[in-house]
Amino acid sequence: MRKGAITREAILKALDECDRMGRPAFLETYGFKEAQSYVLLYDGREYDSKAIAGVAHRYTEGRPLTADEFSGGRNHAVAWLKREGFQVRLIRNPDWSRDEVILACDLAMKNGWKGLEAGAPQVQDLSRLLQVLPDHQGVPRSETFRNPNGVARKTFDIATQHPEYTGKRTNGGATDRAVLAEFLAHPAEMSAAAQRIREALETGSFGDLPSADDSDLDDYSAPEGRLLLRRHVARERDRKLRQKKIDSVLRQGMPLVCEVCDFDFEAVYGERGAGYIECHHVVPLHVAGEGRTKLSDLALICSNCHRMIHRRAPWPTPVELRGLLRNRRPAI
């Protein structure tokens, strides 16, 4: 058999066969997997370029090429299809975000740390949710983006990284391993974070997520994903709420100092520091959920203590951090 000896007419026949059979059946029948790098664009639709090229051989050479007889890249399938005038596009679905991995890891945990198949109702449901997750808005993605097969594969990637797994590990990434470690250390907390993310996606509350420079959050670590963290930080930066908390403290005749270390901005910086202090939302959003913030939920703290609270999960409360600080100070 001459590899690459396919004509435009043969390719069109393969495309027609794929349309008639449906993509899943077409791929299964001929033993191909979904395209991971290149797709053939024709008549407004995307096709698995390697599968189409392989099946096109059936119409010119008497039998299709098998998946292991050639590559789907530029040296084989892509070159053959382009030679006959077809458009082929490189696809790279965006990497999984922390939020997405948290949701997939929660599925794997609830399944006894075993991967789930694409047909599982939980996988189908998560695939639907990930389609509306705003993590990758505006980023190019193919029609296979977070489809059930991709979601199922991610649960296996996570499950095979479990320390008690004894089989062959799949290609899990650094985020998979990091999130898995946090689930093993704090299962209830991480599962609660997953539930809050789900609830926000179901209600569409991420649709009004305030714009923020994510570089501001680079030093922050939290059980929730970045979207919940952004909403949490946005609450803390609400100027009206912060001012109400400050006014409440001043009305009680109390000094405007850090609740953790007693730092006083005005005492150190003079007039420039007068009336300034940062506001911390004590209860993380994955625990508190959506709702009206009460002044008692807020703590006034300095910039250093604020960073130290957010630096590593699980977050200490201001009272816990104050206790840690006292234990660290030498006795006078």
Side-chain angles (χ1 to χ4, degrees):
M1 172 178 279
R2 294 177 300 155
K3 293 181 182 180
I6 56 177
T7 64
R8 183 175 181 84
E9 181 181 3
I11 296 169
L12 290 174
K13 287 181 178 180
L15 291 171
D16 179 66
E17 183 176 355
C18 181
D19 288 340
R20 286 186 286 104
M21 294 179 65
R23 186 185 188 191
F26 181 79
L27 294 176
E28 182 177 359
T29 298
Y30 291 104
F32 287 90
K33 296 180 180 179
E34 292 181 1
Q36 298 296 312
S37 300
Y38 295 92
V39 290
L40 185 157
L41 306 179
Y42 182 72
D43 200 21
R45 299 184 62 182
E46 293 183 353
Y47 296 83
D48 302 273
S49 55
K50 184 176 182 180
I52 294 298
V55 174
H57 274 260
R58 174 187 172 195
Y59 296 101
T60 58
E61 300 295 303
R63 73 166 179 86
L65 287 177
T66 60
D68 59 358
E69 286 184 288
F70 70 114
S71 78
R74 290 176 293 178
N75 292 331
H76 288 157
V78 172
W80 304 339
L81 295 169
K82 285 186 174 181
R83 184 192 65 204
E84 298 304 317
F86 288 90
Q87 182 182 359
V88 181
R89 180 171 67 87
L90 175 66
I91 58 170
R92 282 283 189 272
N93 276 326
D95 292 337
W96 282 64
S97 69
R98 177 178 169 83
D99 301 70
E100 293 174 304
V101 175
I102 286 174
L103 293 172
C105 198
D106 191 52
L107 274 194
M109 182 182 72
K110 290 176 178 176
N111 195 46
W113 292 116
K114 297 178 181 177
L116 294 96
E117 299 295 336
Q122 309 96 303
V123 170
Q124 300 280 332
D125 179 59
L126 181 53
S127 174
R128 175 184 59 82
L129 282 177
L130 295 183
Q131 303 297 320
V132 298
L133 189 74
D135 265 350
H136 308 295
Q137 295 297 327
V139 178
R141 56 195 194 184
S142 77
E143 64 179 16
T144 65
F145 175 78
R146 305 304 185 253
N147 66 3
N149 285 334
V151 173
R153 184 161 53 246
K154 178 57 67 174
T155 66
F156 277 96
D157 288 342
I158 293 168
T160 62
Q161 300 300 317
H162 194 282
E164 295 181 2
Y165 182 77
T166 58
K168 183 179 180 181
R169 299 184 186 278
T170 59
N171 297 322
T175 303
D176 299 345
R177 293 187 289 273
V179 171
L180 171 61
E182 291 180 48
F183 263 90
L184 294 176
H186 309 286
E189 195 171 15
M190 295 301 293
S191 189
Q195 183 59 33
R196 292 299 185 198
I197 296 172
R198 279 180 166 277
E199 290 173 358
L201 290 172
E202 293 283 6
T203 60
S205 63
F206 280 153
D208 61 350
L209 191 66
S211 59
D213 181 359
D214 277 2
S215 64
D216 290 346
L217 310 180
D218 286 345
D219 292 336
Y220 285 3
S221 173
E224 56 256 86
R226 182 164 287 259
L227 291 169
L228 285 183
L229 179 56
R230 279 179 59 188
R231 188 176 287 282
H232 178 106
V233 172
R235 282 186 177 186
E236 296 181 336
R237 293 175 180 173
D238 185 330
R239 293 183 179 181
K240 293 181 180 179
L241 198 59
R242 172 178 164 273
Q243 192 58 52
K244 285 181 180 179
K245 179 66 176 181
I246 290 175
D247 292 343
S248 172
V249 170
L250 295 177
R251 280 197 303 269
Q252 298 176 54
M254 299 169 62
L256 201 61
V257 299
C258 175
E259 295 181 23
V260 174
C261 69
D262 299 323
F263 184 86
D264 185 328
F265 281 91
E266 185 174 10
V268 175
Y269 296 104
E271 184 180 351
R272 189 175 187 83
Y276 180 80
I277 197 162
E278 295 191 7
C279 189
H280 172 61
H281 199 287
V282 178
V283 184
L285 188 61
H286 77 275
V287 176
E290 299 289 346
R292 190 169 183 175
T293 301
K294 303 186 294 292
L295 293 184
S296 59
D297 294 333
L298 305 174
L300 297 179
I301 56 181
C302 71
S303 310
N304 281 349
C305 290
H306 202 180
R307 282 283 175 176
M308 289 299 100
I309 286 176
H310 280 296
R311 189 177 182 212
R312 186 178 301 119
W315 291 343
T317 66
V319 172
E320 291 169 340
L321 188 62
R322 185 178 180 87
L324 175 64
L325 191 60
R326 283 180 173 176
N327 292 334
R328 293 284 298 171
R329 285 175 175 167
I332 298 177

